[in-house]
Amino acid sequence: MAHKPAICTMSLGRSFAGHSLPYKLTQTKEHGFQGIEVFYEDLIDLTISMPGGEALIDNQLAAARSFKNLCEERGLEIICLQPFMHFGGLIDSEKQEAQIHDINRWIQLAHTLGTDLICFPSSFLPAPQITADIDTIVHDLQRAADLGLASSPPVRFAYEALCWGTRISTWEDSWDLVQRVDRENFGICFDTFNIAGRIFADPAVKSGKCENAEEATLQSLKRLVKNVDVKKVFLLQVADAERLHERLDQRHAFHSADQPARMSWSRNCRLFYGESSHGAYLPVKAVLAAVVRGLGFQGWLSFEVFNRRLADRDTSVPEEMAKRASVAWEKMVREVPLDVRPTTTKRATPVSVQHRLSAML
């Protein structure tokens, strides 16, 4: 399978800013991408003009069919539907049961889109709304996985730790969860921003870095290479982020009273790989080396970049972002490096990985 380039629809411009899906998909194709992540917001945007709007499941399924047709016309493969927000561990049992009902709807949408993958980001609801009992969270995720397995064709789920998650915020947390769920269709989504944004970076401090950031990152990536089963890595998302000139506290322009600092930073400041001219500073290359060269991951590498620029109504945004993503992909191919031909990638030895990661940090 080697490595194939993809991008999230949201990363080409937000639908609420007037950036149309057909144009974003055209730019995706014209800039060399082969796969697309369906951001739920873009899917729902297609239902706005339909009688009854997004509330009707038939409208959502019709939107999914339209989405698939637009992608097929451009030769793009839909690689996942995301994000199913705040799933699992809700204190309110009625809301948790409603989520299980919604899983069935999302499975229908995935089937209609022609993808077999749905992505769960870790919840960042306030702590009083989410249980601290990991066994309960695991049970809820098992119920979702079992529904996916029972569907025809089966649907997989990829769990991603957000670096500001309430209960799950590190890749180690999410890997532990995947092992506990113990279902063949339940795996992990590694996101370079969320990995580095938790163990390396902290936008709330002046330096923008955690204490002992380089060594902590090196040790964490060594554990990743040693412990993770690459067959359970269902998706690899890529993003860097800009170093802020001032700490992100209540005085900062990006501060939001209802968001942790890392979340506000994520929403405003993610960048494509290697964009040092925009202030990129995360050790994304080292994270990629661990997953791609260390684990031997093959498959889709998808850019998931949130940024304040995406909300601008400037009609040049989709082309600009697609062009930046294309430049970043070519740079990744050279620097990581990536295998863009269908060849077998061998898992690197721990020693070679350690030397490589040390040199990148």
Side-chain angles (χ1 to χ4, degrees), residues 81-87 99 102-103 106 118-121:
L81 171 63
Q82 66 110 338
F84 193 116
M85 301 291 288
H86 305 304
F87 183 85
Q99 283 192 334
D102 275 349
I103 286 293
W106 274 59
I118 293 171
C119 296
F120 285 142

Side-chain angles (χ1 to χ4, degrees), residues 241-294:
E242 69 180 274
R243 188 196 299 266
L244 301 178
H245 296 298
E246 300 293 337
R247 66 181 65 187
L248 207 167
D249 57 19
Q250 64 273 17
R251 296 166 296 181
H252 199 283
F254 299 151
H255 171 72
S256 178
D258 60 348
Q259 294 181 356
R262 284 184 170 95
M263 181 179 177
S264 300
W265 179 51
S266 171
R267 291 293 177 262
N268 287 280
C269 303
R270 290 201 198 190
L271 298 169
F272 293 104
Y273 174 87
E275 290 193 312
S276 55
S277 61
H278 292 269
Y281 76 109
L282 301 183
V284 175
K285 184 178 177 181
V287 177
L288 288 173
V291 180
V292 171
R293 313 312 305 178

